[in-house]
Amino acid sequence: METRSTCGYCGVGCGVVIEHDGEHVTGVRGDPDHPANFGRLCAKGQALHLTMTPSAMRFRARTPLVRTARAAPFAPAGWTPTLEMLADRFANCIAEHGPDSVAFYISGQLTTEDYYVFNKLAKGLIGTNNVDTNSRLCMSSAVAGYKMTLGADAPPCCYEDLDDADVVLIAGSNTAWAHPVLYRRLEAARAQNPQLKVIVVDPRRTATAADADLHLAIEPGTDVALFHGLLHVLLWEELIDPAWIARHTSGFAELKSIVREFTPRAAAQICGVREEDLVTAARWFGHAGAALSLYCQGLNQSTAGTAKNAALINLHLATGQIGRPGAGPFSLTGQPNAMGGREVGGMATLLSAHRDLADPAHRAEVAKLWGVDRVPDRPGHTAVELFEALAAGTVKMVWIACTNPAQSLPDQRAVRAGLERAELVVLQEVCTDTETAAYADVLLPGAGWAEKEGTVTNSERRITRVRAAVPAPGEARGDWAIATAFAQALEARLRPGLPTLFPYLSVADVFAEHVKTTVGRDLDIGGLSHARLDESGPQQWPFPAGATSGRARLYGDGCFPTADGRARFAAVPYKPVAEAVSAHYPFKLMTGRLRDQWHGMSRTGTVASLHAHAPEPALSMHPFDLERRGLAAGDLASIRSKRGELIVPLAASDELRPGHAFLPMHWGGATLTGADAMGINVLTTGASCPQSKQPELKHAAVRIARAELPQRLVAFGQARDDDAVATRAALRQALSGVAYASVVMLSGPRPGVLVRAAAAEPFHAALLEKVDAALGLTGDDIACYDDPRRGIGRRLRQQDARIAAVRMSGDVGAEAWLRDAFDSGDDVSALRTALLTPGARPPGRRIKRSALVCTCFGVTEDAIRACPGDLAHVQSELKCGTNCGSCLPELRRLVAARPDGMAA
Ligand code: SF4
């Protein structure tokens, strides 16, 4: 059987066809009819069904779980008593401490209907604006930037604009990795139009930057200075559109007075780029028939996030590059439904259907639509503030849905202090093993991808149905249904005897009510319903009643949703990052995505093949910095910011400038499981943009030094009972508290689990026993070597004369050849003595490890380098890049770097 739905990861919003037998998901492929992807999926999307295997779902929540103390185990409970108990506790808290003593922290991965119910529950029923979302970490600067300049939170562009653009300016986005299917579209547009110029603004030479015609490798956080510098050149060289500015905008004079000082030389100096490159970029943009900007977290996750967005939009307004094919400022959304959350106003500073929380008339409209007396006027706590308020005790109870703040929020020490202090933490989740679950008092099982119904909106304002292909297991329910049932129980206490505010019998009913709130607004979808979407497929908003299609582009008439109908130039000053580097913290730490992982890895982290591209955590530094500090790739280093310390291995990368360092955002406390187990965000700062309240996750000042942890442990092997997720969990548990420990999936010829740990003192026998037990290294048939005096030990399990699992402690020098023997599956029965002898280097097949480039066909860098011919020939020989295409930028780079390479 097949069911059409949507990918649950990024904001490209690819349509998928889920293959299933009515009970289990068996496969997934791209929906050829979906206008976002026309059948394509990236590596993550192609592996969606693998996140639903029994192993991946090992820790699936199936019933409500309740515990009396955080250290106690959860016990199953029924839905009705659990929701009644929660309603009692929330009602009592509200009665004693007021509505702002409770809060909801929700997610851009919820459907629009889920979001709608939570928002109405908080603002309409309880009377608090304390409902914020992980979209605050992702898109709130884009919201504030659009509203500041264009008057409404509405991306004016569509994906087809890539086909019509002459210049594409990509700022703060590694689109090739973060939005791969959209990047395929850009590649196709470049192939069609060789004159198309791509400019990339990014401190790192990412895959996207390496592919560009011009890479402006700015210093972190200097984007506003760059955009002002570009505008300065546009003004100086008369490449602006004065007539369009006069007709459709206001505020240009104030902006001009600010950009006057951003001469190309001054701007280039601030940004650390070549003056001539800045001028070239401005000329390309200014001369373009159609100029399109794509931008994402590099602009948004910043203390100047709103200013960066606005300064980029200024360029489009100054040149009239908006509202026509191929032109406009196009914010790419990170999550599958950050847009839907914005549409329903599901944030602490927003109101339904793009209404203004500060406007009494707008609040009255929403109150009337909801049938309540009023909605609160004071903005609620935004994400970072919410956890500070929990720590301060002013917010006492928090309901978290479909997100993992104990991994993803900055300044984890502060976040976890808030979770610890909270009187009640309710977690609505699919699985029980996220970092946040450790702080939950109650865990409510939500339906996951392929199990739930609703809609999501992608980056181009296109609303797509999300459909259930299989039933949710056990008693798990759709998130909207959980929120509705709780709301009904709570309203029985807060407004007894009155008709329910939540009369929904189906998710379509929720959507229908949301539709009513949009009528007459800029995002009017009065013409849409679930039935209409089922009949006509995905549609862009606005789509008012009577319309036959949505609108592809906005503002083609030059009319903007502001009081005077004019777009507003934003005279924003340039401000540097929150944390300047110093003698004490001399490195600029940046964060970002890996190609094949998603957020905190609670889903993609369960799929072995998605680990192959970047198998282990590492902090990247320029080789010059490594050498200058006497460090080498593979060394363990201590990374310290003002907030905490993380120990992680080092990697050399010339994609960074000296003085910069890079750490992927995915490695949380579940993967870097030692010591405090707080992951990368123990380092990042909660300092936020004053307008958007989005924290500066992209930059922190750090110092980096060798971690003196001489005792090492390496263990690897096949997972027990083919249950890699359970084996990994047991290993993580065994290693908690060790100074450094990472536990990752092994992909490759023999999938399994790999552990690395390091400590100052020899590992305790009890810890080693737990590691051994997790990998099946116990029993009579296990080969053992122990030298307690030197703290050296080794365990080895063979199966059919092949290595099945190994643990080395103290001396791990044999890792390379034992890994070779494991991966090759060679018969090692003749090597029994050497297998256990520290220092032995028996002859054997050496496997030269090479980075994996193509996940779909398992093609490595070495294989690509060894294959002669141009790109087309390499692809025909090795098949790499011929399926999902996520590896194409790396593939092109590798082929072009060879003497005979001719990247087609
Ligand atoms: Fe999913 Fe990849 Fe498409 Fe994003 S680009 S929606 S992750 S398939």
Side-chain angles (χ1 to χ4, degrees), residues 7-14 40-42 44-46 178-182:
C7 173
Y9 294 127
C10 83
V12 177
C14 296
R40 281 195 175 282
L41 293 177
C42 73
K44 294 184 288 284
Q46 293 214 334
H179 297 92
V181 167
L182 193 63

Side-chain angles (χ1 to χ4, degrees), residues 844-890:
R845 185 142 64 99
R846 287 311 314 265
I847 295 177
K848 190 166 178 301
R849 289 195 167 71
S850 168
L852 192 91
V853 177
C854 174
T855 304
C856 298
F857 295 103
V859 183
T860 63
E861 271 187 23
D862 283 354
I864 294 161
R865 287 199 185 98
C867 185
D870 64 8
L871 181 67
H873 182 75
V874 171
Q875 289 195 274
S876 76
E877 287 292 305
L878 303 176
K879 303 277 180 286
C880 42
T882 58
N883 190 31
C884 79
S886 295
C887 64
L888 276 167
E890 286 156 281

Side-chain angles (χ1 to χ4, degrees), residues 65-70 74-75 85-86 89 398 419 422-427 436-443:
L65 299 169
V66 179
R67 59 183 165 190
T68 48
R70 302 244 168 95
F74 279 117
M85 177 270 288
L86 291 174
R89 292 202 59 184
V398 64
L419 287 166
E423 287 178 18
L424 176 66
V425 176
V426 182
L427 177 62
T436 305
Y439 296 89
D441 301 292
V442 177
L443 200 150

Side-chain angles (χ1 to χ4, degrees), residues 497-561:
L498 293 174
T500 180
L501 300 172
F502 303 88
Y504 320 121
L505 298 176
S506 73
V507 69
D509 292 347
V510 182
F511 187 76
E513 190 176 302
H514 162 56
V515 166
K516 279 190 203 151
T517 69
T518 69
V519 172
R521 306 287 308 157
D522 67 311
L523 73 170
D524 189 334
I525 52 170
L528 290 182
S529 62
H530 273 208
R532 180 72 182 266
L533 289 166
D534 289 341
E535 195 181 292
S536 311
Q539 301 294 336
Q540 286 176 278
W541 61 253
F543 196 117
T548 52
S549 66
R551 200 175 307 152
R553 293 176 192 86
L554 306 179
Y555 314 134
D557 57 1
C559 256
F560 293 86

